[in-house]
Amino acid sequence: MAGNDWLNSYLEAILDVGPGLDDAKSSLLLRERGRFSPTRYFVQEVIGFDETDLYRSWVRASSTRSPQERNTRLENMCWRIWNLARQKKQLESETALRVNKRRLERERGRREATADMSEDLSEGEKGDPLSDLSAHGGVGDFNRSRLPRISSADAMETWANSQKGKKLYIVLISIHGLIRGENMELGRDSDTGGQVKYVVELARALGSMPGVYRVDLLTRQVSAPDVDWSYGEPTEMLSPRDTDDFGDDTGESSGSYIVRIPFGPRDKYIPKELLWPYIPEFVDGALNHIIQMSKSLGEQIGSGHAVWPVAIHGHYADAGDSAALLSGALNVPMLFTGHSLGRDKLEQLLKQGRLSKDEINTTYKIMRRIEAEELALDGSEIVITSTRQEIEEQWRLYDGFDPVLERKLRARIRRNVSCYGRFMPRMATIPPGMEFHHIVPHDGDIEGEPEGNLDHPAPQDPPIWSEIMRFFTNPRKPMILALARPDPKKNITTLVKAFGECRPLQELANLTLIMGNRDGIDEMSSTNASVLLSVLKLIDKYDLYGQVAYPKHHKQYDVPDIYRLAAKTKGVFINPAFIEPFGLTLIEAAAHGLPIVATKNGGPVDIHRVLDNGLLVDPHDQQSIADALLKLVSNKQLWAKCRQNGLKNIHLFSWPEHCKTYLSKIATCKPRHPQWQRSEDGGESSESDSPGDSLRDLQDLSLNLKFSLDGEKSEGSGNDNSLNSDGNAADRGAKLENAVLSWSKGISKDTRRGGATEKSDQNPNAGKFPPLRRRKHLFVIAVDCDTTSSLLETIKAIFESAGKDRAESTVGFILSTSLTISEIQSFLISGGLSPIDFDAYICNSGSDLYYPSLNPGDRPFVVDLYYHSHIEYRWGGEGLRKTLVRWADSITDKKGDNDEQIVSPAEQLSTDYCYAFKVRKPGMAPPVKELRKLLRIQALRCHPIYCQNGTRLNVIPVLASRSQALRYC
């Protein structure tokens, strides 16, 4: 084949490599035992794809007797290989372009964001050396001191005493997986085993800490026939592990609880990839539970005032999405832990080249997951990670976080200088904790035990010991223990290869693989079954029978006994994963006195730096893995030193220390909670200690304020700065009204640009419920038609269908639109409708909330100023407008159209909380995802929305969406 002679000669060499190719029935990797294979080398190193199909072609080609047919087959194969190589290069090129494009976008966004910051902070933005060194992850002794420590029992007791008197309520959310307090079923979903155990133990430990009254772990209620009945129980109390814990707050509802919220199909377990459509249902149930629990706690410990959560903490992307919605609705600080991140997983899967991006998204719903993680970044005040590696290498892939810009913003905050509305969450590295009080490391020497003790276990030995040792010919040899589910990224096959190809290691040790629970291979997922089959084939290939154990079943309570058995044999624990976010099993192994061999990628680096109890290896280098294992097994002095170091330093990863650091981080969040005011509260105004107070009931005092559309600002609006307690009942309403306006001064800015200007007056019906509260059913009309005539036809058709219910006032209507209140009034007049036909108006894509006035006249609408104070939170209006104008100019320049702008500001349609732009050429305007990405990169928290058939762009605060406004209603 012209131009491909090297392929011809290479394939000829492959076909002539040895006899019996046509008789081989086993896989290529099993057939080529113990010698160099040009076939495998060519496919794996040159092509980079699976060799199975090519191998079949080579077999057919080699068995062909006719030289002409053989050459034809060979030429066809050359074309196939050339095509595979071209696809590989194309994938590599696309990956490089994608990474480069993301880098350029982030650099541009960071430059523009930094340019908006004043130059007077050049010294402050450098930050203090200590914090910068911590942010970059220094080396040596400093890194060791960076992790939290318990220097003594007295130090912890002193801290505990300082927390007495506090009664905190904390909400944790972990939606997927099967969660219960005891006998946890780990690994039901991929990526969930460690997360389930972590969140349960975190909730249990927090409930035992001083100052914490109640902890709720919210998850999904599952009442399926194929799962245990306990997962259908609405509530489960988590009993503390140690009765001597610091917690001394006892009460009717104190402690830690698993609260299961019913959502989605209740009769079957749903994998996490399929839970996304049911997230809003979970949020509704969780919101109802939190409100009811806050009231109940208020009656018990709050002197009648609701006790709101001090923080809502989401775990994984789905819970982060839910926590962001709950945090926005309740005005409560949000924390987030990713556990496993979507962008990192997407990069890893694309590098493997087995699936296209569309196939990955179809299988893993990866784009929905990434968007949820971006939303969680937008809403979080603190993101908790296990390692610095997670921050520097994984979170930096996201549009909503940039380490450099985050440090600059942090420096400005420390100096009390404006950040121009920009915000990024703080990253806090807190290693997961573990309970150690029940662990008693084995101190005996196996050589000093009676002969046959392990060959014939005593009756008092744990049952799992005999289950493992039945695999071994000589169970007295040191045990190399790996505990991981059969997932490709856990790299178990490389471990088996390393063990199988190192004869000295086989002579000195046994290998134990705890790969989850299984009944039959055919019942496993295809990915897990493939890994397990590969392990079994490798055991057969290297003839490792009697040297490798792979039990089918074990319980959660068996895991400590497995560690004890490995320590009893003077064994080693290994985690060979390609990348490990943290490595909780490494801490567990160290607590039982086991030296470790771990991957050098990810969290094990930080663990090893603190414990210094083993060796780090390259997970791709099986020779390095074998050498490290052999070194620890054969060198008794090194083994004893690593064991001693691990036991000496393991207290640095205790749950009390973890919770102490965790609570100290929460304490840095400015307290925020809802400021709802109900009709039974009378005229008393609740105090505010929040930068943007949250949801208000509709009979709120803001309903006493009426605003007209005549362009005249009401007299005295916001001029009275105090509420005189000496006034009589007759003018009490006016004083409350002035107090509300005074409080909201600076948030609503007096007027609306080009829209309705406000005018206030007293409302004699202030004590009554608005009509909205008396409805049995509410219909939300959210139809932005191309013309007002189409919208009018839709509304009239809906009104007509309501019929009798509408006449009896049992059904109410809310109009949700991108129009301004001025446009709505014009629309109602032209369509012959009355303002009271609707119970509420959600305007400007969710940034304004109006109600029909109880005294229409010339003031038909009432604006809800408390809603404005809610969405003001993190509203970067000061710097956002400049950024948007610059963006609009860049769109014009990019398209080369100097005569007419594609996007231009619409000042007459803009308000304080909605920046409107006219889009003259909708087809040429960038998609909303691109604009949202640009704004996130610049740390601006807002929502861009194209409306009215793409001819208008509204940019609103991150909390001001139609769904949030509806929750507010």
Side-chain angles (χ1 to χ4, degrees):
M1 193 168 82
N4 289 281
D5 294 337
W6 68 277
L7 283 177
N8 286 331
S9 60
Y10 204 101
L11 290 174
E12 289 286 357
I14 291 173
L15 292 173
D16 295 337
V17 72
L21 281 174
D22 52 339
D23 298 328
K25 302 212 174 173
S26 59
S27 73
L28 186 62
L29 290 177
L30 291 178
R31 181 180 57 79
E32 297 163 348
R33 180 183 301 176
R35 56 189 170 84
F36 172 74
S37 165
T39 304
R40 184 170 58 187
Y41 175 83
F42 184 76
V43 171
Q44 292 183 347
E45 302 297 332
V46 180
I47 304 301
F49 286 80
D50 182 64
E51 83 281 2
T52 307
D53 292 337
L54 290 178
Y55 169 63
R56 295 195 187 100
S57 299
W58 284 325
V59 170
R60 287 194 296 269
S62 64
S63 62
T64 303
R65 295 182 179 180
S66 169
Q68 182 176 1
E69 185 178 354
R70 177 186 173 90
N71 290 336
T72 302
R73 286 179 177 270
L74 198 60
E75 185 172 348
N76 289 336
M77 287 176 59
C78 288
W79 279 111
R80 290 176 60 192
I81 292 174
W82 174 82
N83 186 54
L84 287 176
R86 183 175 62 86
Q87 290 181 15
K88 179 185 177 183
K89 291 181 180 179
Q90 183 177 358
L91 284 174
E92 293 175 347
S93 176
E94 290 176 354
T95 301
L97 288 174
R98 184 172 61 255
V99 172
N100 188 51
K101 180 181 178 182
R102 180 181 297 145
R103 181 181 60 81
L104 292 176
E105 288 176 344
R106 293 183 67 84
E107 289 181 355
R108 185 188 68 176
R110 192 175 65 202
R111 284 197 303 268
E112 292 179 354
T114 306
D116 287 339
M117 299 181 183
S118 59
E119 297 296 331
D120 59 336
L121 265 213
S122 56
E123 290 299 323
E125 289 176 356
K126 295 178 182 178
D128 58 279
L130 183 62
S131 61
D132 283 347
L133 185 55
S134 174
H136 285 284
V139 295
D141 293 337
F142 175 78
N143 269 310
R144 186 171 299 188
S145 64
R146 198 165 36 83
L147 290 169
R149 296 172 177 266
I150 302 178
S151 57
S152 66
D154 292 339
M156 178 56 77
E157 185 176 353
T158 301
W159 178 85
N161 291 333
S162 68
Q163 300 300 306
K164 289 183 178 179
K166 296 182 179 179
K167 294 185 182 295
L168 304 180
Y169 174 34
I170 300 174
V171 174
L172 309 178
I173 304 176
S174 182
I175 293 179
H176 63 263
L178 295 175
I179 297 181
R180 62 182 175 186
E182 305 295 338
N183 300 326
M184 288 174 274
E185 299 181 44
L186 306 181
R188 181 68 179 246
D189 257 331
S190 61
D191 297 333
T192 63
Q195 176 184 335
V196 168
K197 185 174 182 180
Y198 171 78
V199 294
V200 170
E201 295 302 327
L202 174 62
R204 194 192 309 271
L206 282 173
S208 301
M209 295 298 290
V212 177
Y213 187 80
R214 182 180 173 101
V215 178
D216 280 343
L217 171 55
L218 307 186
T219 187
R220 179 172 178 251
Q221 185 182 41
V222 183
S223 301
D226 58 337
V227 301
D228 191 79
W229 63 270
S230 59
Y231 299 112
E233 290 296 302
T235 306
E236 176 184 349
M237 185 174 184
L238 296 174
S239 56
R241 294 294 189 194
D242 188 358
T243 57
D244 297 330
D245 280 331
F246 296 101
D248 56 0
D249 288 325
T250 57
E252 182 181 345
S253 301
S254 63
S256 300
Y257 296 83
I258 297 175
V259 179
R260 299 183 178 92
I261 307 294
F263 68 98
R266 302 187 186 183
D267 59 344
K268 64 179 180 179
Y269 177 83
I270 302 178
K272 63 179 183 295
E273 291 83 7
L274 304 181
L275 279 177
W276 293 108
Y278 309 109
I279 295 294
E281 186 180 352
F282 169 81
V283 172
D284 288 338
L287 184 63
N288 181 65
H289 166 78
I290 293 173
I291 292 174
Q292 296 301 323
M293 181 52 61
S294 297
K295 292 179 183 177
S296 177
L297 294 179
E299 295 173 358
Q300 297 174 32
I301 60 174
S303 302
H305 300 285
V307 176
W308 297 103
V310 69
I312 297 177
H313 188 172
H315 294 267
Y316 197 79
D318 47 13
D321 190 303
S322 306
L325 295 174
L326 289 169
S327 173
L330 291 169
N331 193 36
V332 169
M334 173 189 167
L335 281 65
F336 180 58
T337 299
H339 291 280
S340 173
L341 300 183
R343 284 200 187 276
D344 182 66
K345 183 168 185 174
L346 177 62
E347 294 291 335
Q348 297 295 330
L349 291 173
L350 288 175
K351 286 179 181 178
Q352 294 176 9
R354 298 174 183 173
L355 299 173
S356 66
K357 188 173 183 179
D358 291 338
E359 292 171 334
I360 293 171
N361 190 43
T362 301
T363 304
Y364 299 102
K365 302 296 185 292
I366 202 75
M367 301 312 296
R368 178 65 179 88
R369 175 177 168 182
I370 291 173
E371 183 60 29
E373 289 164 343
E374 293 280 12
L375 176 62
L377 274 177
D378 287 347
S380 299
E381 294 202 15
I382 300 176
V383 174
I384 295 178
T385 68
S386 299
T387 63
R388 292 298 309 178
Q389 182 270 348
E390 185 178 346
I391 300 174
E392 298 293 341
E393 298 184 17
Q394 297 184 46
W395 276 119
R396 73 180 307 151
L397 299 175
Y398 286 78
D399 301 331
F401 180 74
D402 182 87
V404 176
L405 185 55
E406 191 269 344
R407 284 193 289 270
K408 289 180 176 291
L409 292 173
R410 204 57 51 208
R412 299 180 72 89
I413 291 173
R414 285 197 301 268
R415 295 286 298 274
N416 262 341
V417 177
S418 172
C419 292
Y420 298 97
R422 288 179 163 81
F423 171 83
M424 277 188 181
R426 282 178 291 155
M427 293 285 173
T429 301
I430 311 177
M434 183 179 171
E435 288 289 347
F436 302 121
H437 65 272
H438 64 285
I439 297 176
V440 180
H442 180 77
D443 294 325
D445 192 337
I446 184 124
E447 296 177 0
E449 302 219 1
E451 185 69 29
N453 179 266
L454 284 178
D455 298 297
H456 305 284
Q460 66 271 19
D461 288 340
I464 191 66
W465 285 18
S466 59
E467 179 66 20
I468 292 174
M469 290 185 293
R470 67 184 179 88
F471 286 88
F472 299 137
T473 303
N474 180 7
R476 302 180 62 81
K477 291 194 296 186
M479 178 192 296
I480 298 171
L481 173 62
L483 199 155
R485 65 182 183 275
D487 189 285
K489 65 184 181 183
K490 294 301 182 181
N491 200 27
I492 298 176
T493 54
T494 301
L495 170 61
V496 179
K497 290 178 185 178
F499 185 78
E501 295 183 6
C502 183
R503 181 63 62 181
L505 189 58
Q506 295 178 38
E507 294 174 354
L508 288 177
N510 293 320
L511 177 62
T512 298
L513 305 174
I514 307 297
M515 297 179 289
N517 291 283
R518 64 184 184 277
D519 291 323
I521 297 179
D522 293 338
E523 299 176 8
M524 302 172 65
S525 68
S526 58
T527 302
N528 292 353
S530 174
V531 172
L532 182 58
L533 285 173
S534 298
V535 169
L536 297 178
K537 290 178 180 179
L538 289 170
I539 292 173
D540 183 74
K541 172 183 176 178
Y542 296 112
D543 194 16
L544 299 177
Y545 298 106
Q547 296 176 287
V548 179
Y550 42 94
K552 295 179 66 173
H553 299 283
H554 73 281
K555 301 293 185 183
Q556 179 62 26
Y557 57 75
D558 290 328
V559 174
D561 293 327
I562 297 173
Y563 287 127
R564 284 178 51 222
L565 177 60
K568 187 180 181 73
T569 62
K570 292 190 179 296
V572 177
F573 181 82
I574 179 169
N575 182 338
F578 290 118
I579 184 169
E580 182 62 54
F582 181 67
L584 193 60
T585 53
L586 296 174
I587 298 177
E588 294 176 343
H592 287 83
L594 277 173
I596 63 170
V597 173
T599 175
K600 66 177 184 179
N601 299 329
V605 176
D606 288 343
I607 295 175
H608 179 264
R609 185 181 296 121
V610 175
L611 297 181
D612 191 21
N613 67 328
L615 303 171
L616 299 179
V617 296
D618 181 356
H620 300 277
D621 186 354
Q622 70 183 48
Q623 187 60 48
S624 173
I625 295 174
D627 291 343
L629 290 171
L630 183 61
K631 185 175 182 180
L632 281 172
V633 171
S634 61
N635 190 332
K636 299 299 181 183
Q637 288 77 19
L638 178 61
W639 185 92
K641 179 182 177 182
C642 290
R643 167 189 167 87
Q644 183 180 4
N645 287 346
L647 293 174
K648 179 178 66 176
N649 299 318
I650 196 63
H651 69 279
L652 298 175
F653 295 96
S654 67
W655 273 119
E657 181 67 11
H658 176 92
C659 293
K660 173 186 172 183
T661 308
Y662 181 92
L663 294 173
S664 68
K665 296 298 181 182
I666 290 180
T668 63
C669 300
K670 187 169 184 178
R672 297 189 284 119
H673 54 79
Q675 296 293 323
W676 292 333
Q677 191 171 16
R678 305 186 179 279
S679 60
E680 58 266 24
D681 295 336
E684 297 179 2
S685 58
S686 56
E687 64 176 350
S688 168
D689 55 4
S690 151
D693 291 335
S694 184
L695 309 180
R696 301 279 178 169
D697 229 50
L698 297 185
Q699 72 280 12
D700 214 300
L701 288 178
S702 59
L703 294 182
N704 300 340
L705 312 178
K706 303 179 186 60
F707 297 90
S708 66
L709 299 171
D710 56 7
E712 181 184 2
K713 181 182 171 184
S714 93
E715 56 184 3
S717 176
N719 293 332
D720 187 2
N721 293 325
S722 64
L723 178 60
N724 188 353
S725 59
D726 297 329
N728 54 39
D731 58 356
R732 184 179 183 184
K735 293 174 181 176
L736 288 172
E737 179 179 313
N738 288 334
V740 170
L741 284 174
S742 175
W743 177 84
S744 60
K745 185 180 180 181
I747 298 177
S748 60
K749 300 283 196 300
D750 298 333
T751 63
R752 321 209 60 73
R753 298 189 194 96
T757 56
E758 297 105 356
K759 186 172 182 179
S760 64
D761 197 3
Q762 295 184 10
N763 184 357
N765 299 318
K768 297 181 180 179
F769 282 114
L772 181 69
R773 300 295 302 277
R774 300 196 298 266
R775 309 298 189 193
K776 291 184 178 179
H777 304 283
L778 284 174
F779 285 90
V780 180
I781 302 176
V783 182
D784 276 330
C785 302
D786 295 339
T787 61
T788 55
S789 59
S790 300
L791 178 59
L792 181 62
E793 293 175 3
T794 301
I795 291 175
K796 289 184 175 180
I798 294 174
F799 281 175
E800 184 178 352
S801 64
K804 182 180 178 181
D805 291 332
R806 180 168 179 260
E808 295 177 352
S809 300
T810 59
V811 172
F813 297 89
I814 296 177
L815 180 61
S816 178
T817 177
S818 62
L819 301 175
T820 64
I821 194 63
S822 302
E823 292 173 322
I824 288 177
Q825 188 187 32
S826 300
F827 164 74
L828 294 176
I829 294 174
S830 63
L833 299 175
S834 170
I836 61 174
D837 287 336
F838 293 93
D839 293 326
Y841 297 88
I842 300 173
C843 317
N844 293 315
S845 302
S847 63
D848 287 306
L849 189 57
Y850 287 84
Y851 310 102
S853 173
L854 298 178
N855 295 322
D858 60 345
R859 305 178 183 87
F861 302 107
V862 175
V863 65
D864 193 336
L865 291 183
Y866 284 95
Y867 179 67
H868 287 166
S869 69
H870 166 62
I871 64 176
E872 169 75 14
Y873 182 58
R874 293 181 187 164
W875 172 237
E878 184 178 357
L880 179 61
R881 179 176 288 276
K882 292 196 306 181
T883 301
L884 290 172
V885 171
R886 186 168 59 235
W887 167 78
D889 292 339
S890 69
I891 296 299
T892 302
D893 295 337
K894 186 186 301 182
K895 300 300 181 181
D897 188 355
N898 296 322
D899 299 328
E900 183 180 11
Q901 288 185 328
I902 298 173
V903 180
S904 60
E907 294 291 340
Q908 71 280 8
L909 299 176
S910 297
T911 68
D912 287 335
Y913 300 97
C914 177
Y915 294 152
F917 292 80
K918 289 183 178 179
V919 183
R920 292 185 172 87
K921 298 181 179 180
M924 300 181 67
V928 68
K929 284 187 176 181
E930 182 177 324
L931 178 55
R932 186 184 298 129
K933 181 177 181 179
L934 171 65
L935 296 172
R936 277 176 172 162
I937 288 175
Q938 299 196 42
L940 292 164
R941 298 301 190 253
C942 53
H943 281 321
I945 301 172
Y946 283 105
C947 47
Q948 297 185 12
N949 201 26
T951 60
R952 183 187 294 186
L953 171 66
N954 284 347
V955 183
I956 60 177
V958 69
L959 294 181
S961 62
R962 295 183 181 184
S963 60
Q964 287 280 6
L966 287 174
R967 288 188 183 279
Y968 183 93
C969 289

